[in-house]
Amino acid sequence: MPHFRACLTGAAVLIAAVTINVAEARTPQDQLVIGMNMVNLTTLDPHNANSYESYHVIANLYDTLLRSDPNTPGKVVPGLAKSWTVLPDGTLEFTLDERATFQSGRKITAADVAYSFQRAVKLGLLARAYYANWGYDAANVDQKFRAKDDRTFVMEVATPVAPSLKLNALTRVYGAVLDREVIAKHEKDGDMGRGWLASNAAGSGPFTLNRWNPNDIVVLSRFDAYWGGEPKMKRVLVRHLPESQTERLQLEKGDLDVGFQLVSADIDGLAKNPNIVIDRLVGSGFYYLIMSTKDPEFAKPEVRRALRYCINYKDINDVVMKNYGTSATTFIPADIPGYIPDIGNVYDPAKCKQGLADAGYGEGFSKQLLSLNSTPYADMATAIQQNLAVAGIKVDILTGNGDQTYGPMRDRKFQLGVGRTASSAQTDADGWLRTHVYNPDNKDDANLSNLQAWRASFELPDVNKLMDEAQAITDNEAKRVELYKQALKLFEESAPPIIPISQRVDPYAKSARLKNYVGDIGWMTRWDRVEKQD
Amino acid sequence: MSTASKGLTAWLTTEEPNSARHATLQNIWRVWSRFASNPLGVAGLVIILLLVFVAVFVPWLAPYSPFEQNLRETLMAPNGQHLLGTDELGRDILSRILWGSRITLSIVAIVSVIVAPIGLIVGCLAGYYGGWLDTILMRVTELFLSFPSLILALAFVAALGPNLNNAIIAIALTQWPPIARLARAESLSLRNRDHISAVRLMGASSLHIVIAHIAPLCIPSVIVRITLNMAGIILTAAGLGFLGLGAQPPSPEWGAMVSTGRRFMLDSWWVGTMPGLSILFVSLAFNLVGDALRDALDPRQE
């Protein structure tokens, strides 16, 4: 009998729990709840940020010298610097906003800015490559980045680089300004806070880091005295939700305000919900197919040229890449200066077959294609596999995790691969072209694995020369763009082993309750102006 | 016809067999009639026979190619044209499941063929000879048994590289130890039997005794064990496929199909459900047949 009663109570509790669950959940009015897959959130060090996820969190902990206007991509607006001037020799002078203070309460000085940029170069973290590209290295940063006075920071020229490139880049995460006094307290063996900053923050942003449990949760608390005005949200909770469908259900129920990294099917499902708004951040990476020119077949330009005709770009973009990317035919998209219409991808199965036959491969050949085992890579690989099968090229797909897939590509030991170049949006042709066409040193031990052309063992000295020349032009925008155009054209005419398939898009879903949530294409979305309405 | 079959039945059930062959056939008949009296076992057998039939004749049975994509007809619900609907690349799910039966069946067959002899030999040798050979062989067996089979298979595939052949090798490596143990137990109980002693007194070598007299007597229980294991083999293979470590795309492996279908569970339930049901029915069938076979082969049943 007691058993029976216990059962009954249990059942009652269960029913109550279920009923409560059914009731409409709602996130608190003054808290923003964001769901994302945190696997790639591996550090909070602004100079080592490497992912969409880490950019978003860091953007709210730190301020950058300049900001990009989320409503007009490409437009640079004041951040910590209220104004800036470009001197005739290309030197940049920034005047800091006198209101700006760190979360520690200390005024931000030009010395802090200089320290931050010097750290970016000296530590050799990811940010270094960024600055190395402009000629800065550990030996010269102490002279090149300096405080002229308390309020004026000077960035001298190391190698000639168009100032607009630098200004744009400083709006991103690597342009964050760090509190050197707080860092000094946690420094170990002169590591400039490298160990401590990976999981802590010392910035001036609108939110402070309250808690971060990797692969679980990030809690940000409002920094009441934020110099840019008190944030509306008292707290931001970022939750680790690796399953897209969980995110979707929670968004529909109102347990989440924003959801990142949803898969295509769930984006389509949520788009039908009147309480959810789908927004798309256009990224500057490409989903691409890459061939290694070390391979005897792909070493032949005729084969590469023919192969480009084999792929049904339209169908792949319409179906497989829906919500992940938009159609791309070449490496500079239509809205960027330097775009050339009518070059690049064309689907023509007849030309594909003819081209392969002319190259002496009428019977085709077999190749291995590397792909991540996740969406949309595996589907893209399968679609390409079928396209190539029609042309007689037998493709075996090998799926794996990041290391298994990108590892052989970085080591230049592969035949075919699909992947994605990951970077935040670029508004300049340089950023679009460089990672794909530039390869200054084609030796195996040069280890330029972040350059796709190097991965493909593909070097075009003339393209390199044009790229170097273009970057160095500081005073003539039209001429600079013209040089990028020439570089692109030359690259496309040389039967490149890298075929762009889609331009990266990062869709996210947000609750219709949110006001002022404006996604930034540079992944520097700020959460301090976000409000909720009912 | 009826008298003939009656005659056959009488011949098969007569008390005194005329020859050794007669006795063997009588034995098979007894096993079969015991098996046939178990309706669940028969149902399982029917499913397995159907699976074999499909696997053999799939080129004529499948309405579409399992690889042909139609990006304009993706994620279609089951309808007259596509009885089980289409997947995310517009491939006919029914055709893919039918072709997938070949993969499943070949995994089961190859693993069984690898595993049975290895387990039998290791077990019989260990059981008959005893001593240090037994110690060494059994410790190795226990080493393999101390891991959950899926984890061990995962580790092997991760080390060897993900593809179907490696998955088969990995599954085989995890499946032989239980059989070896079983065979050892059987041969332990057999080696002091009178008829074995008789053979030994006639001067037969130990190896001859193991191969010709002990191993054959272990076979029935090994067969039962393998049949029961087949369900496990199917599930492990599907598990590896689900994790992307088995058959690689676009091969229509059921586990991999469930894995893709999971992404569309909320909107397009059929993509993951159909291959999932196939796995369910086939592994259920192997379990039922294994059970019925155990009952049928057990002489104590009489």
Side-chain angles (χ1 to χ4, degrees):
Chain A
M1 201 55 196
H3 267 92
F4 176 70
R5 198 169 290 168
C7 279
L8 211 63
T9 329
V13 168
L14 204 69
I15 291 168
V18 169
T19 341
I20 288 167
N21 203 15
V22 164
E24 188 76 359
R26 219 152 216 272
T27 53
Q29 195 66 21
D30 56 355
Q31 297 193 13
L32 182 66
V33 187
I34 297 173
M36 61 164 75
N37 183 343
M38 285 192 191
V39 173
N40 292 327
L41 183 64
T42 49
T43 178
L44 291 180
D45 190 328
H47 293 146
N48 212 18
N50 60 348
S51 63
Y52 181 71
E53 300 79 26
S54 48
Y55 272 52
H56 273 88
V57 175
I58 292 168
N60 287 283
L61 295 170
Y62 293 88
D63 278 313
T64 45
L65 266 190
L66 303 171
R67 301 258 288 277
S68 130
D69 184 351
N71 299 311
T72 359
K75 190 179 161 207
V76 177
V77 295
L80 287 176
K82 66 176 180 192
S83 65
W84 58 94
T85 45
V86 183
L87 302 184
D89 69 338
T91 298
L92 299 171
E93 260 193 36
F94 301 90
T95 310
L96 300 185
D97 196 313
E98 51 280 344
R99 296 171 299 167
T101 54
F102 283 117
Q103 288 172 358
S104 61
R106 197 166 58 81
K107 277 248 174 247
I108 300 180
T109 65
D112 290 302
V113 182
Y115 169 85
S116 301
F117 289 172
Q118 285 161 7
R119 179 182 188 272
V121 176
K122 282 178 182 167
L123 276 190
L125 300 173
L126 285 172
R128 192 187 57 125
Y130 223 76
Y131 292 97
N133 204 14
W134 302 334
Y136 298 112
D137 54 43
N140 69 11
V141 281
D142 285 337
Q143 294 84 52
K144 300 292 179 190
F145 300 155
R146 58 190 169 79
K148 193 171 159 192
D149 57 53
D150 237 22
R151 303 247 69 81
T152 318
F153 168 69
V154 178
M155 191 182 237
E156 280 180 17
V157 175
T159 50
V161 173
S164 60
L165 282 181
K166 284 187 183 172
L167 292 175
N168 254 312
L170 289 179
T171 65
R172 304 261 163 63
V173 75
Y174 299 145
V177 174
L178 286 56
D179 189 335
R180 80 196 134 104
E181 286 189 6
V182 173
I183 291 173
K185 279 185 212 146
H186 300 277
E187 200 164 33
K188 275 208 190 91
D189 314 322
D191 70 347
M192 300 182 99
R194 179 178 182 159
W196 186 75
L197 274 183
S199 52
N200 292 282
S204 61
F207 291 95
T208 59
L209 181 65
N210 183 318
R211 185 150 61 93
W212 173 35
N213 299 343
N215 286 344
D216 176 21
I217 199 165
V218 177
V219 182
L220 305 182
S221 298
R222 169 165 71 196
F223 174 47
D224 296 325
Y226 180 52
W227 65 274
E230 188 189 29
K232 301 276 193 293
M233 289 290 143
K234 207 167 118 193
R235 188 174 285 168
V236 179
L237 291 154
V238 186
R239 297 178 49 203
H240 177 52
L241 296 174
E243 287 283 338
S244 170
Q245 299 191 28
T246 319
E247 259 184 86
R248 170 172 168 190
L249 291 172
Q250 298 207 2
L251 275 162
E252 281 172 345
K253 283 200 162 184
D255 282 336
L256 271 189
D257 296 315
V258 182
F260 288 163
Q261 297 137 328
L262 292 149
V263 305
S264 185
D266 294 324
I267 291 279
D268 286 341
L270 284 168
K272 295 183 198 122
N273 188 325
N275 298 322
I276 305 286
V277 181
I278 305 290
D279 219 345
R280 290 179 168 78
L281 294 183
V282 182
S284 79
F286 289 101
Y287 289 91
Y288 59 83
L289 172 69
I290 186 166
M291 308 164 233
S292 174
T293 59
K294 281 191 170 179
D295 182 89
E297 268 79 47
F298 297 134
K300 301 188 171 139
E302 312 87 65
V303 173
R304 299 198 299 265
R305 196 166 284 133
L307 200 121
R308 201 160 185 185
Y309 288 116
C310 307
I311 297 163
N312 188 340
Y313 303 98
K314 186 175 182 314
D315 277 4
I316 291 181
N317 274 302
D318 285 354
V319 181
V320 179
M321 300 307 295
K322 189 182 175 202
N323 291 321
Y324 298 113
T326 54
S327 175
T329 56
T330 182
F331 291 101
I332 298 182
D335 54 342
I336 301 293
Y339 170 68
I340 309 172
D342 304 326
I343 58 166
N345 297 344
V346 179
Y347 173 51
D348 190 336
K351 272 192 182 168
C352 153
K353 272 191 193 149
Q354 189 58 46
L356 284 171
D358 291 348
Y361 293 99
E363 276 102 64
F365 46 80
S366 296
K367 287 285 170 266
Q368 193 180 56
L369 171 62
L370 301 176
S371 160
L372 290 178
N373 56 9
S374 55
T375 356
Y377 302 96
D379 297 329
M380 196 165 86
T382 317
I384 290 173
Q385 180 186 43
Q386 204 211 352
N387 285 165
L388 295 184
V390 174
I393 303 175
K394 192 182 166 299
V395 170
D396 288 315
I397 298 176
L398 188 67
T399 63
N401 63 23
D403 283 344
Q404 290 160 344
T405 306
Y406 286 126
M409 294 196 215
R410 288 192 204 106
D411 296 340
R412 313 219 282 186
K413 287 176 188 140
F414 70 102
Q415 297 175 328
L416 279 171
V418 292
R420 181 179 72 183
T421 36
S423 79
S424 58
Q426 309 276 350
T427 45
D428 193 280
D430 189 88
W432 287 91
L433 279 183
R434 196 162 292 275
T435 49
H436 304 105
V437 308
Y438 189 64
N439 179 12
D441 186 352
N442 199 27
K443 287 195 287 294
D444 274 350
D445 55 10
N447 219 356
L448 303 172
S449 63
N450 55 338
L451 299 176
Q452 300 299 323
W454 182 84
R455 288 190 190 179
S457 313
F458 187 64
E459 187 187 17
L460 293 173
D462 291 337
V463 170
N464 294 337
K465 223 177 92 206
L466 285 165
M467 291 294 293
D468 289 340
E469 242 177 86
Q471 186 183 247
I473 293 178
T474 55
D475 52 353
N476 188 340
E477 272 305 288
K479 188 171 169 221
R480 199 167 68 86
V481 168
E482 186 49 42
L483 287 179
Y484 287 127
K485 268 190 170 175
Q486 286 176 23
L488 176 64
K489 206 151 167 256
L490 195 61
F491 187 74
E492 290 287 14
E493 281 163 2
S494 319
I498 310 141
I499 304 175
I501 291 176
S502 312
Q503 184 186 340
R504 175 180 184 169
V505 169
D506 290 294
Y508 63 94
K510 59 181 181 185
S511 154
R513 283 172 77 201
L514 294 186
K515 248 173 56 183
N516 298 335
Y517 187 104
V518 189
D520 177 54
I521 60 164
W523 302 348
M524 302 291 287
T525 306
R526 277 296 182 97
W527 298 323
D528 56 330
R529 299 289 102 203
V530 177
E531 282 178 78
K532 286 186 184 179
Q533 61 187 5
D534 285 290
Chain B
M1 181 66 207
S2 77
T3 50
S5 77
K6 224 175 235 166
L8 186 64
T9 318
W11 186 73
L12 283 167
T13 49
T14 179
E15 290 283 322
E16 286 153 23
N18 301 325
S19 62
R21 203 171 118 255
H22 190 180
T24 318
L25 285 173
Q26 277 195 334
N27 227 335
I28 293 173
W29 170 255
R30 266 198 299 276
V31 169
W32 165 247
S33 45
R34 276 200 301 268
F35 184 90
S37 64
N38 184 338
L40 282 176
V42 173
L45 188 66
V46 169
I47 295 181
I48 292 176
L49 289 178
L50 196 70
L51 179 78
V52 174
F53 175 79
V54 166
V56 172
F57 295 104
V58 64
W60 295 278
L61 290 173
Y64 298 91
S65 147
F67 305 120
E68 195 182 299
Q69 303 168 12
N70 186 344
L71 294 180
R72 294 176 200 291
E73 288 186 1
T74 57
L75 296 175
M76 276 166 62
N79 59 34
Q81 229 189 340
H82 300 280
L83 288 177
L84 299 184
T86 62
D87 68 3
E88 79 286 359
L89 293 170
R91 298 173 292 200
D92 182 58
I93 293 179
L94 176 63
S95 307
R96 283 177 71 72
I97 289 179
L98 294 183
W99 278 95
S101 65
R102 273 196 177 179
I103 299 179
T104 305
L105 211 59
S106 56
I107 293 178
V108 168
I110 296 171
V111 169
S112 307
V113 166
I114 297 174
V115 152
I118 295 179
L120 201 59
I121 289 169
V122 169
C124 289
L125 288 178
Y128 183 77
Y129 285 100
W132 58 269
L133 185 67
D134 182 33
T135 312
I136 293 175
L137 289 176
M138 279 306 111
R139 291 307 85 76
V140 173
T141 312
E142 276 155 17
L143 204 68
F144 278 89
L145 277 173
S146 58
F147 288 98
S149 64
L150 183 62
I151 305 286
L152 193 61
L154 272 179
F156 278 121
V157 178
L160 296 170
N163 66 45
L164 192 58
N165 292 340
N166 290 343
I168 290 174
I169 294 172
I171 297 172
L173 280 171
T174 62
Q175 295 289 341
W176 68 268
I179 291 162
R181 279 217 155 169
L182 187 74
R184 174 177 177 269
E186 290 272 321
S187 36
L188 267 182
S189 70
L190 285 170
R191 73 174 180 189
N192 292 328
R193 291 266 181 90
D194 291 346
H195 70 281
I196 301 292
S197 306
V199 178
R200 199 179 300 134
L201 284 174
M202 285 161 77
S205 72
S206 298
L207 199 66
H208 175 81
I209 295 175
V210 170
I211 293 172
H213 297 279
I214 304 250
L217 287 171
C218 297
I219 285 179
S221 45
V222 166
I223 288 180
V224 170
R225 180 75 214 199
I226 291 248
T227 320
L228 283 170
N229 269 11
M230 283 177 180
I233 294 170
I234 292 172
L235 290 178
T236 312
L240 289 175
F242 185 85
L243 296 170
L245 295 172
Q248 293 295 304
S251 61
E253 202 273 321
W254 293 347
M257 288 170 71
V258 174
S259 169
T260 18
R262 201 173 55 118
R263 299 201 313 262
F264 309 101
M265 211 155 50
L266 292 177
D267 305 293
S268 316
W269 55 269
W270 56 91
V271 183
T273 310
M274 300 303 177
L277 286 176
S278 316
I279 297 173
L280 169 75
F281 283 126
V282 171
S283 47
L284 185 67
F286 276 109
N287 265 328
L288 293 175
V289 168
D291 249 1
L293 212 54
R294 183 183 53 202
D295 293 348
L297 285 174
D298 187 355
R300 276 162 296 207
Q301 283 281 310
E302 280 174 33

